[in-house]
Amino acid sequence: MNKKKACKRCRVFVEGDECPLCKGNQFTQSWNGRVALLDASQSLIAKRMGVANNGEYAIKIK
Ligand SMILES: [Zn+2]
């Protein structure tokens, strides 16, 4: 099974060739854990992770 790739900079999962958040193209498949943020502006998890956008994120990347 193919593991999803996550942006190295913002840790969001990316489907295409460009990160929709930072427009970067540095991805990694070495990540652990995932979290879906539906209300990032209200979420303590989002605050702790330092992300401001809704979406699905890897909790840890290597
Ligand atoms: Zn990014």
Side-chain angles (χ1 to χ4, degrees):
M1 212 176 89
N2 226 350
K3 216 175 175 187
K4 275 183 150 187
K5 59 185 180 183
C7 174
K8 280 189 171 177
R9 219 183 293 173
C10 32
R11 283 178 292 178
V12 70
F13 288 115
V14 178
E15 301 284 349
D17 293 327
E18 185 185 87
C19 173
L21 299 185
C22 69
K23 307 295 178 198
N25 58 2
Q26 300 273 309
F27 307 117
T28 179
Q29 289 181 310
S30 301
W31 52 265
N32 278 308
R34 56 204 270 182
V35 60
L37 300 177
L38 303 176
D39 197 357
S41 58
Q42 301 291 318
S43 165
L44 287 177
I45 302 168
K47 223 169 260 178
R48 236 171 46 193
M49 292 175 64
V51 302
N53 296 280
N54 294 344
E56 207 179 352
Y57 294 84
I59 293 173
K60 251 186 206 169
I61 65 170
K62 287 170 198 158

